[in-house]
Amino acid sequence: MIDKPLSRVDSILVSVILLTLMGAVIWIFGSDALSGATQVAMMVIAFFTTLIGLKNGISWFEIEKSVVRSSTKTTGPILIFLSIGALIGSFMLSGAVPTLLYYGLNILSPTYFYALSCLICALVALCIGSSWTTAATIGVALMGVSFGFSLSPEITAGAIISGAYFGDKMSPLSETTNLAPSIAGSDLFDHIRHMAWVTVPSFSLAVLAFFVIGLSSPVTEGSQTSIEAFIQTLRQHFNISPINLIPVVLLLWLAVKRTPAFLAIIGVSLLACIFTLIFQYDVLLNFAGGSNPILLFKSIWTVLFDGFSISTDNDSVNSLLSRGGMASMVNMAWLVIASMMMTGVLERIGYIDVLMGVLVKFVHSTGSLIASTMATCLGINIVTGDQYMSIILPGQMWKSEFAKHNLANVNLSRALEDAGTLTSPLIPWNACGVYMAGTLAVATIDYLPYCFFNLINPVVALLFAFLNVKIMRK
């Protein structure tokens, strides 16, 4: 049987299946959708779209080969997911996160907390070029501080992600910031300068929004009492010292030095375990329930795969610090695998090619070209769940169109980041959305409305495009 291209009817059928199932599980299960419902939906989508492929003459062997090829892309992210779980557990046990919480609660102001969180994460991500590392270190600590201040974890997560993605987007050390100009054919620093015209105003508006929200969230007498109780509990149960922050600083330094993420995270996690023996021995004894060397070793090992737990008189401290472990990230790994399985089938039956081909018909001006490019990036992010694919595929597709319209390549590379990079953490089944939800312990759907920078920047970029502002010609 001859392999036939995907027809219009089949394309519509695939779209209906995809949107109906994904929309249904999100509507029915809400923030719990990522606990299994979304994964099942993706596999069911893969099943039905495989039947369409078989009807069109594509063998199961070819579809399976595409699934395997697509799934190989998940190895790196899954290793990082698991290592981050170990890192969080070790940072809890070693006193790194409790120390950050202690100093944060003493220094940060609740009124300006959201805006300062956004700015701090932006600065760190700008220096290290990684939104993921920023969220896993400073982000986790800021989430803890928000609990101490009795502030919204959803808004805090939005502030962290907004700042982290601004810094990541503007950093010459970032992978996506290097990938976009390399695909579009523009210079790295020309690309960053061109992005600044839309990125800086968008980020300023986001910080202003967090500042205004903070003003309307004053600290009550009750919350001030809870903050003091939180600080006192940390002091009672941990040896608070700046020395505890050495593993955190080392991880940030390794990120600046472009050390492979898996090696850096696992190495720092093991170092944090050593710090536990030296500086948090009493914490380890309480967690282990004894001083037998084998028992202590078993307890440290347990923290790496099953997370840390603590029991104090303060329920807020208990719920915040009792987390981590590789096991906590297994569900996220399942989601990524299911996403790539669905992507492999959709790619092989030709659905993605059809989706991208339709958008070309809407290009009639510079504004519509940039809008179509950004829509393609968003579509690839939704369909494939991979931010790198959302940069690579649209970049390859639209490059010749930008040349036909006499537009400089920096316009394309900026559009790829405005929509590809920034929308990735807003999609629950995207690897970035999965990671942020797992690391910050806030569902993607819950923090999405507060990712002001990620939401504002694409809108500003579209306004610039249609008003022909800061659009560079060749």
Side-chain angles (χ1 to χ4, degrees):
M1 195 172 182
I2 299 174
D3 182 343
K4 297 187 298 184
L6 198 66
S7 67
R8 179 177 297 180
V9 173
D10 286 342
S11 300
I12 295 174
L13 180 59
V14 172
S15 299
V16 170
I17 293 171
L18 178 67
L19 295 175
T20 300
L21 283 176
M22 295 302 286
V25 297
I26 292 175
W27 178 64
I28 294 171
F29 293 91
S31 59
D32 293 328
L34 296 181
S35 298
T38 299
Q39 292 90 323
V40 173
M42 287 177 174
M43 299 186 78
V44 172
I45 290 168
F47 170 76
F48 283 115
T49 51
T50 294
L51 295 181
I52 293 174
L54 294 173
K55 175 183 72 70
N56 290 336
I58 304 173
S59 68
W60 167 247
F61 174 75
E62 287 294 322
I63 294 175
E64 185 181 42
K65 187 164 65 173
S66 178
V67 169
V68 171
R69 183 172 60 250
S70 180
S71 298
T72 56
K73 301 172 186 176
T74 67
T75 304
I78 287 175
L79 287 175
I80 294 177
F81 287 162
L82 296 176
S83 62
I84 286 292
L87 178 74
I88 292 173
S90 65
F91 272 13
M92 297 296 179
L93 180 64
S94 67
V97 169
T99 298
L100 283 169
L101 296 179
Y102 180 84
Y103 290 135
L105 288 169
N106 279 285
I107 296 174
L108 291 174
S109 165
T111 303
Y112 308 111
F113 176 76
Y114 297 133
L116 288 174
S117 295
C118 186
L119 289 169
I120 291 170
C121 289
L123 179 61
V124 173
L126 185 65
C127 294
I128 67 175
S130 173
S131 56
W132 285 27
T133 303
T134 300
T137 52
I138 305 301
V140 170
L142 289 171
M143 288 300 299
V145 175
S146 73
F147 278 100
F149 285 143
S150 299
L151 296 174
S152 167
E154 294 83 6
I155 300 177
T156 303
I160 291 167
I161 293 170
S162 293
Y165 272 81
F166 168 80
D168 187 312
K169 190 169 184 275
M170 297 301 292
S171 173
L173 302 177
S174 168
E175 292 179 353
T176 54
T177 306
N178 281 272
L179 178 63
S182 68
I183 294 296
S186 58
D187 176 75
L188 171 62
F189 291 100
D190 287 343
H191 165 64
I192 292 174
R193 283 191 290 269
H194 195 56
M195 282 198 300
W197 290 109
V198 296
T199 303
V200 173
S202 302
F203 185 68
S204 301
L205 289 173
V207 173
L208 178 61
F210 288 121
F211 175 74
V212 172
I213 292 175
L215 291 178
S216 61
S217 306
V219 179
T220 63
E221 183 177 346
S223 63
Q224 185 63 45
T225 303
S226 68
I227 292 171
E228 294 173 357
F230 199 101
I231 292 174
Q232 185 63 26
T233 302
L234 291 175
R235 172 62 76 180
Q236 289 176 350
H237 290 83
F238 291 91
N239 176 25
I240 302 298
S241 168
I243 295 176
N244 299 333
L245 302 180
I246 291 177
V248 179
V249 174
L250 176 61
L251 181 63
L252 297 177
W253 182 80
L254 290 173
V256 171
K257 291 298 181 179
R258 313 297 287 174
T259 305
F262 175 76
L263 298 179
I265 293 170
I266 290 296
V268 170
S269 298
L270 296 176
L271 176 64
C273 292
I274 296 174
F275 269 53
T276 298
L277 290 169
I278 300 173
F279 303 110
Q280 305 293 340
Y281 189 71
D282 290 340
V283 177
L284 179 59
L285 287 178
N286 290 331
F287 180 75
S291 59
N292 183 288
I294 295 178
L295 183 61
L296 295 180
F297 174 81
K298 180 181 178 181
S299 299
I300 291 176
W301 216 248
T302 299
V303 166
L304 295 177
F305 73 78
D306 200 35
F308 174 69
S309 63
I310 188 171
S311 178
T312 71
D313 294 333
N314 192 311
D315 291 336
S316 297
V317 172
N318 298 340
S319 62
L320 179 62
L321 299 185
S322 299
R323 54 179 306 209
M326 293 186 180
S328 66
M329 294 293 182
V330 169
N331 191 58
M332 301 301 170
W334 176 23
L335 180 61
V336 172
I337 292 173
S339 173
M340 288 299 102
M341 178 188 179
M342 180 184 72
T343 299
V345 178
L346 294 176
E347 284 181 338
R348 183 60 190 88
I349 68 173
Y351 178 73
I352 293 177
D353 291 335
V354 171
L355 186 68
M356 295 173 69
V358 169
L359 292 170
V360 180
K361 301 175 182 178
F362 294 95
V363 176
H364 305 291
S365 64
T366 297
S368 62
L369 173 58
I370 293 176
S372 297
T373 302
M374 294 175 64
T376 307
C377 295
L378 175 60
I380 298 300
N381 251 334
I382 292 173
V383 173
T384 68
D386 188 317
Q387 73 165 339
Y388 297 108
M389 293 294 287
S390 73
I391 292 175
I392 295 171
L393 290 180
Q396 293 172 337
M397 172 186 172
W398 293 107
K399 189 173 182 180
S400 60
E401 290 293 322
F402 274 73
K404 291 177 184 178
H405 285 73
N406 196 37
L407 294 173
N409 293 333
V410 288
N411 298 292
L412 173 57
S413 60
R414 184 174 76 183
L416 296 177
E417 289 235 64
D418 288 337
T421 301
L422 293 187
T423 62
S424 58
L426 307 182
I427 299 164
W429 54 88
N430 186 284
C432 296
V434 171
Y435 177 85
M436 291 299 167
T439 300
L440 302 179
V442 179
T444 309
I445 297 173
D446 292 337
Y447 70 61
L448 188 154
Y450 306 105
C451 293
F452 296 135
F453 172 66
N454 303 68
L455 296 171
I456 293 172
N457 192 97
V459 176
V460 173
L462 287 174
L463 287 174
F464 274 49
F466 283 103
L467 295 176
N468 205 27
V469 176
K470 294 303 175 182
I471 303 298
M472 292 186 65
R473 306 286 171 179
K474 283 192 175 181

